[in-house]
Amino acid sequence: MKPLEKAGAAMIAAIVTCYIFCLPRDLFKGTGYSTVVSDRNGELLGARISEDGQWRFPPSDSIPMKYKAAVMMFEDRWFPLHHGVNPVSIAKAAWRNIKAGRITGGGSTITMQVIRMSRRKERNLLQKCIEAVLATRLELRCSKDEILRLYASHAPFGGNVVGLEAASWRYFGRPPEEMTWGEAATLAVLPNSPSDVHPGRNRERLLAKRNRLLESLFARGCMDETDYALACDEPLPAEPYSLPREAVHLTGHYCQANPGERIRTSVDIHIQRQVQAVADRWNDEFSLTGVSDLAAVVIDVRTGEVLAYVGNANPDRKRPGSDVDIVRARRSTGSILKPVLYCSLLQEGEILPRTLLPDIPVNLNGFSPQNFNRQFAGAVPASEALARSLNVPSVHMLRRFGVPKFLDILRRCGMTTLDRSASHYGLSLILGGGEGNLLDITGVYAKMAASYMDTDTSWTRKGDRLHGFPLKDKCALWWTLDALKEVNRPDEIDWHLINSVKKVAWKTGTSYGFRDAWAVGVTADYAVGVWAGNAGGEGVPGLTGARTAGPVMFDIFNLLPVKEGDSAYSRSGWFKEPVPGDYILAEVCHESGFLKGVDCEHADTVMLPRKAVRSDACPYHKTIDGVGTFVLPPSMEWYYRQHHPEYAPYIPADRSEYSPMEFIYPEAGAVIYIPRLLDGSVAGITFNLAHRLQDAVVFWHLDDDYVGSTQFIHQMRLKPEPGRHTVTVVDESGNSLSVAFKVAPGNG
C-alpha cells in the first residue's frame, strides 16, 4: 500500500474511532435529580427538590402515548424515520431564517435536542454541526423510545420544572399517565420556549400553540372529534401544584440515604393516609397536654414490609421537633423489650409460663428497681409479671438469664441501636437503660409472630433476616403471645372498654421521667408500633404507654383490613395452638408454676417448650407433718400474704430447722456504696428484713453492738464505716440470722 493510501486509511480509521467513542457513556452524568418516593403500586408519596434547585425527576422507564404523539407532532413528526438528522427540516429552517433575516428556528430533531440538553453549550453553527454528528451516534446506540424518554426526562418546562413527570405533577397535580389530550399538548409545546411562554407568562400565546397542535393531532386521526372538542375547552394550568406529602419523614430519610434516586417503597398509600389521619387526630388532642409529637408504623407480619410510616404526626404544623423522624430516632425503650426476655427464658427452659418469680424490694449494688405502682406482690407468675409489666420480676429474670446473652439476642432480633457493651447497660437494659427506635422494635414483634407462623420464606425474599431470628421455639412464642394478649395494667385504664374487633398481643412501655410512651401490638396479620412524647426529650407528668400510645395503636388496628379465611387464625380469632411435635407435655405444680416436685399435691398437665425439662422442680412445696405444704421464703411471704389472704403459712412444732426471718436487703456478700447528702453528711443504709410473724419483735446488732429493735415493719437505718461488717438480728423467740457485707471506701 502506498504511503498516501496508508495515511488515508489511518485517517479514516481515526475518524471512525473518534465517531465510535465521541458520545459519552452517560449523556447526563452529573445531572442532579429530585429524590422521588412512591408507594408499593407506584403512587407518589413525596419528592425532594434536586441539589441544583430543580424539580427534575429521575428518568422514567415509560412515556405516555398521548404525550408521545403530541411531542412528535410538534417537535419532529419525522422522528420515527430519520437517523438523528433531518436534512429537509434543516433546509427549510435555513430558508426561513434567510427570509426573515434572523434565526427563527434550527430544524433540530428530537435526537439533536437531547444532545444539546446534555452538552449545554452555546448555540451557534459549529455546535449545531457537532450536535448533528453526535445525534447520529446516539441513534446507533439507543432505540427511538429510549431517545424519547431521554428527551421527556430532561426537557425544560418553565421555571425550575424539568422533565415530563415533574411538569405533570407541578402543573396538573397527577402523574403523566393520567394526562388528558389537552394537558399532553400543553406540555408538548412548553419546551419550545419555556422561558418566554409558560403557564405563568404569555398564556394567550401558549393557548394558541396548544390548540394548533391539537388541531394537527385531530387532523392526523390521533383523536376523535369529541376528544378534540373537550381538549380545546380545557383551561391552562394556573398556579403550580404542591407535590404530594403523604410520608414526609420517609421521603426525608431517602433524601439523605439515596439522594437523587427513585425509590419504590412497600408502603400502601391507602393505609398510609388512614394511619396518618389517626395520628394527626390524636396528636391534636395530646398537644393540649404538652405531648407534642407522635409516630406510628405498620408492618405486614407475613412479609416484613412496612405498610405505613408516620415519622411524626402533623408535620405541617411547625413546632420544635416536627421535622424529627421519630420512627428512626433513638429513644429509651422503657419496658417494651420485656417480651423478648420472657420468650428467651421459656425457650431455654430457664422458666415455665407461670413460674413464680420474686417480687420483693431488691438493691443490686445501688440499683433498686421499682414497679410502676410502687408496690410488691411477693411472688408473681412469670406470665402475669409480663402482662402487668412488673419491673422487679423482670430484673430477676434478666439477672438469671445474663445481660450479655440477652443483649446478643436483642441484636439478632434486629435491634440496631444497642451498640454499647453489656456492662454499660447492666440490668437496667430491661427497664429502658438501652435505646431503640420504633421501626426496629415493631419489627421485633412482627418477627415473633412471623417466626411462630413459619413465614421465613416471605421475609427472606424481601431481604430481611428472619431466617437468623433467635426466637424459634413455637411453644415459647405461643405462650409469649398468649400472655401479651392479656395485657391490662390494673393501675391504668380498663382496656376491656375499648371496642376492639380483634385480639391483639400488645405491650406498653414508659421511659424514666415520662419522656417516652410506647405501645406495640401484633396479630397474625400486622404489627403496629406507636410512640408518643416530645422529640426534644421533655418529660410530661402522666405520659404513659397505656394512656397515650395505647389508644392510638388500637385505633390503627381497627382500621386495618382483615384478611378473611386466614389459616393462621383459629376459630376464636387468635393464633392456632402449637401442633404436636412443637411442644412436650409435662406436669406443672398448680401453685408455683414449676415442674411438679415430689412434695406437690396438685399439678396440671401443660404443653411446654422442648427445653422445659431443664427447668427446676418446685422449690416451695415441703412435706411437713406428712403433708405437702406450700411455703414461700419469708421475704416473699411477707408481701405475698398482703395480696393472698388465703395463704396460711405453716409453722411446724419442731423449729430446729425453721427460719422465720430473711434479709430483703442487703444480700450476703454485697458491696455497698453509701451516698452523701447535699450537706456532706452520710445518708446511711436502710436494712430490710422480713419476718413470718407480723407482730414479732426483732433486735438488731451491727457487728457486736446492739443498735435497736423493730416490730411490724423491720427496717433499720445504719451508718457503718468503710470495711467488712455483719448485721445480726434476733427475734423474741431466740431465732437469729446474720448477713455479712462490705462498705466501699470513698463514698459520696
Side-chain angles (χ1 to χ4, degrees):
M1 182 179 294
K2 296 179 181 181
L4 187 60
E5 292 176 342
K6 289 183 179 180
M11 183 177 295
I12 293 173
I15 292 173
V16 171
T17 301
C18 289
Y19 181 73
I20 292 174
F21 294 102
C22 67
L23 195 66
R25 174 57 56 187
D26 185 357
L27 282 180
F28 294 91
K29 184 178 181 180
T31 300
Y33 295 104
S34 302
T35 306
V36 179
V37 181
S38 61
D39 86 331
R40 63 195 304 117
N41 298 313
E43 293 275 353
L44 184 64
L45 294 174
R48 293 291 173 87
I49 203 165
S50 64
E51 292 182 354
D52 60 357
Q54 305 294 306
W55 284 112
R56 184 190 298 110
F57 285 22
S60 176
D61 294 333
S62 62
I63 184 169
M65 179 275 295
K66 293 176 182 177
Y67 178 76
K68 182 177 180 180
V71 75
M72 286 194 298
M73 178 64 67
F74 184 77
E75 293 285 356
D76 188 0
R77 68 177 62 185
W78 301 105
F79 177 71
L81 302 177
H82 63 68
H83 297 287
V85 178
N86 188 344
V88 176
S89 296
I90 292 178
K92 288 182 177 179
W95 175 247
R96 287 194 299 268
N97 293 339
I98 293 172
K99 286 179 64 178
R102 59 185 177 87
I103 297 177
T104 60
S108 295
T109 63
I110 288 177
T111 312
M112 292 173 67
Q113 292 185 59
V114 170
I115 296 297
R116 184 177 71 247
M117 288 186 290
S118 70
R119 298 178 73 242
R120 302 173 188 171
K121 299 290 186 179
E122 182 182 355
R123 301 180 69 176
N124 54 42
L125 183 58
L126 174 61
Q127 295 301 327
K128 192 80 168 181
C129 294
I130 295 174
E131 289 171 7
V133 173
L134 294 177
T136 60
R137 181 67 184 87
L138 182 60
E139 289 276 348
L140 294 175
R141 176 189 293 178
C142 300
S143 67
K144 292 291 184 179
D145 280 345
E146 289 172 333
I147 294 172
L148 268 178
R149 290 199 295 269
L150 286 173
Y151 173 84
S153 297
H154 299 90
F157 287 88
N160 66 342
V161 180
V162 179
L164 173 65
E165 191 172 2
S168 180
W169 278 106
R170 290 290 285 161
Y171 292 136
F172 307 117
R174 53 178 172 271
E177 294 76 18
E178 298 178 10
M179 288 192 303
T180 64
W181 274 110
E183 292 166 348
T186 300
L187 296 188
V189 303
L190 271 180
N192 185 248
S193 52
S195 62
D196 185 47
V197 179
H198 58 77
R201 177 184 294 180
N202 295 320
R203 293 173 60 86
E204 296 79 7
R205 288 172 57 188
L206 175 61
L207 182 62
K209 290 174 70 173
R210 184 201 72 174
N211 288 346
R212 283 198 300 272
L213 174 57
L214 289 172
E215 184 178 0
S216 298
L217 289 168
F218 174 62
R220 288 296 184 95
C222 295
M223 66 178 78
D224 58 30
E225 187 173 356
T226 301
D227 287 338
Y228 171 60
L230 292 173
C232 289
D233 286 340
E234 288 183 27
L236 293 176
E239 293 295 324
Y241 286 85
S242 297
L243 268 66
R245 290 170 55 84
E246 299 292 351
V248 177
H249 297 88
L250 183 61
T251 301
H253 166 73
Y254 283 115
C255 187
Q256 295 292 325
N258 306 87
E261 295 184 18
R262 185 186 300 272
I263 308 295
R264 176 171 287 202
T265 69
S266 58
V267 169
D268 185 314
I269 195 170
H270 304 293
I271 295 178
Q272 173 72 27
R273 287 170 177 165
Q274 294 181 74
V275 173
Q276 183 75 58
V278 169
D280 290 350
R281 174 169 53 82
W282 278 104
N283 180 241
D284 288 337
E285 181 175 330
F286 293 154
S287 64
L288 301 177
T289 62
V291 180
S292 299
D293 302 297
L294 188 146
V297 65
V298 178
I299 295 178
D300 187 320
V301 167
R302 301 311 200 291
T303 64
E305 295 174 328
V306 175
L307 301 179
Y309 186 112
V310 179
N312 207 335
N314 287 307
D316 294 326
R317 190 179 70 210
K318 293 304 178 183
R319 61 192 186 276
S322 63
D323 294 331
V324 177
D325 183 359
I326 300 295
V327 169
R328 297 179 188 272
R330 293 181 175 222
R331 309 294 303 196
S332 172
T333 57
S335 301
I336 205 69
L337 299 177
K338 288 177 180 176
V340 179
L341 177 60
Y342 176 77
C343 188
S344 299
L345 284 159
L346 286 176
Q347 180 169 281
E348 293 299 315
E350 296 282 343
I351 62 170
L352 302 184
R354 293 189 57 79
T355 295
L356 277 184
L357 300 174
D359 184 21
I360 58 178
V362 63
N363 188 306
L364 304 170
N365 296 326
F367 177 52
S368 300
Q370 297 287 328
N371 293 322
F372 188 85
N373 60 7
R374 299 286 176 176
Q375 297 180 358
F376 300 96
V380 63
S383 58
E384 184 180 333
L386 176 62
R388 293 173 55 193
S389 195
L390 297 177
N391 292 334
V392 176
S394 299
V395 170
H396 281 288
M397 283 194 287
L398 181 55
R399 190 184 186 193
R400 177 173 183 170
F401 192 68
V403 176
K405 189 175 179 180
F406 181 53
L407 181 60
D408 177 65
I409 285 180
L410 288 174
R411 288 169 175 165
R412 291 165 59 197
C413 283
M415 293 292 294
T416 61
T417 55
L418 298 173
D419 48 14
R420 302 290 187 90
S421 65
S423 60
H424 171 82
Y425 296 115
L427 293 173
S428 67
L429 177 61
I430 197 60
L431 305 182
E435 293 181 327
N437 65 53
L438 187 61
L439 188 61
D440 285 354
I441 292 171
T442 309
V444 171
Y445 280 69
K447 290 174 186 177
M448 290 176 69
S451 181
Y452 178 73
M453 297 187 298
D454 281 326
T455 60
D456 298 55
T457 304
S458 298
W459 280 71
T460 304
R461 188 171 60 248
K462 298 300 180 182
D464 209 287
R465 297 181 57 191
L466 183 60
H467 59 282
F469 191 64
L471 304 178
K472 293 185 176 296
D473 188 283
K474 298 292 189 296
C475 192
L477 288 164
W478 158 260
W479 282 114
T480 302
L481 295 168
D482 187 70
L484 290 176
K485 84 173 190 298
E486 302 300 330
V487 168
N488 177 27
R489 288 179 49 171
D491 53 325
E492 302 197 343
I493 60 178
D494 186 358
W495 285 112
H496 294 293
L497 300 178
I498 295 178
N499 185 26
S500 179
V501 297
K502 56 178 74 70
K503 294 181 180 179
V504 177
W506 69 294
K507 181 73 181 69
T508 62
T510 305
S511 69
Y512 178 78
F514 303 104
R515 293 180 173 89
D516 306 274
W518 303 84
V520 182
V522 66
T523 66
D525 295 328
Y526 308 102
V528 175
V530 174
W531 176 95
N534 290 308
E538 303 86 359
V540 179
L543 174 69
T544 64
R547 290 185 180 276
T548 311
V552 184
M553 184 201 71
F554 276 105
D555 270 5
I556 293 173
F557 266 116
N558 286 338
L559 66 82
L560 295 174
V562 177
K563 298 178 181 179
E564 298 291 344
D566 201 314
S567 60
Y569 285 113
S570 66
R571 290 183 179 179
S572 64
W574 190 236
F575 294 94
K576 287 184 176 180
E577 291 190 3
V579 298
D582 288 338
Y583 61 85
I584 62 172
L585 292 175
E587 288 189 310
V588 173
C589 175
H590 181 76
E591 293 172 292
S592 73
F594 285 84
L595 291 176
K596 180 184 178 182
V598 294
D599 298 320
C600 297
E601 294 288 329
H602 305 287
D604 304 308
T605 301
V606 181
M607 64 176 182
L608 299 173
R610 289 183 288 268
K611 291 185 179 180
V613 291
R614 302 178 180 177
S615 186
D616 298 331
C618 176
Y620 301 131
H621 272 93
K622 300 178 181 179
T623 299
I624 301 177
D625 297 334
V627 179
T629 306
F630 181 57
V631 180
L632 291 173
S635 58
M636 295 169 64
E637 181 182 279
W638 172 261
Y639 295 95
Y640 189 80
R641 289 165 62 184
Q642 299 176 29
H643 302 277
H644 296 271
E646 74 281 3
Y647 178 84
Y650 182 79
I651 302 176
D654 181 7
R655 302 187 182 184
S656 59
E657 297 182 0
Y658 170 75
S659 176
M661 296 182 290
E662 183 179 5
F663 276 102
I664 298 174
Y665 179 77
E667 292 185 334
V671 178
I672 300 174
Y673 295 83
I674 306 178
R676 291 185 181 274
L677 301 177
L678 293 177
D679 60 3
S681 61
V682 178
I685 314 169
T686 300
F687 288 76
N688 201 346
L689 178 80
H691 199 292
R692 293 187 188 276
L693 302 178
Q694 295 184 358
D695 58 351
V697 177
V698 175
F699 304 94
W700 294 72
H701 302 78
L702 175 60
D703 298 325
D704 295 327
D705 299 323
Y706 172 73
V707 292
S709 63
T710 56
Q711 187 177 19
F712 304 115
I713 299 176
H714 302 291
Q715 294 180 344
M716 181 66 67
R717 193 172 191 82
L718 304 174
K719 299 180 181 180
E721 296 293 327
R724 298 186 181 278
H725 299 275
T726 301
V727 165
T728 302
V729 291
V730 181
D731 67 9
E732 55 193 344
S733 300
N735 299 298
S736 65
L737 183 68
S738 298
V739 61
F741 60 95
K742 178 182 178 181
V743 176
N747 298 305

